[in-house]
Amino acid sequence: DGGITAATAMTDTTWILEIRLPAHRLDSRRIRPGDIWGFNFSWVRVANSPTYAQWAPTYGNAHRPDRFGFLLFD
């Protein structure tokens, strides 16, 4: 059990996902205000649809951390 919780919602034009990731499960050090992490989130629907979306576009290669967005902890 990773302690991860999630909630979703849909509107007419938007799909919303909120995830709670316990920080102590991600990194052994403490997250401090001002820390910046590279981050990306993608959604792929494989069956019967070419649907593909990313929070930070990586233009064809999802494994490009140099093109990820950033999370700023404050």
Side-chain angles (χ1 to χ4, degrees):
D1 180 13
I4 298 169
T5 57
T8 62
M10 290 179 66
T11 70
D12 290 338
T13 59
T14 306
W15 180 74
I16 301 164
L17 169 65
E18 182 177 322
I19 301 174
R20 180 183 171 271
L21 302 167
H24 70 278
R25 302 274 184 161
L26 301 174
D27 196 333
S28 61
R29 66 182 180 92
R30 186 172 181 193
I31 298 171
R32 295 179 185 91
D35 283 355
I36 299 173
W37 288 8
F39 180 81
N40 205 2
F41 178 81
S42 62
W43 177 60
V44 180
R45 181 176 177 197
V46 177
N48 302 322
S49 176
T51 302
Y52 184 82
Q54 288 184 313
W55 176 63
T58 57
Y59 305 103
N61 185 347
H63 303 286
R64 291 288 309 264
D66 58 314
R67 294 183 177 166
F68 286 7
F70 299 98
L71 293 178
L72 170 61
F73 295 87
D74 55 331

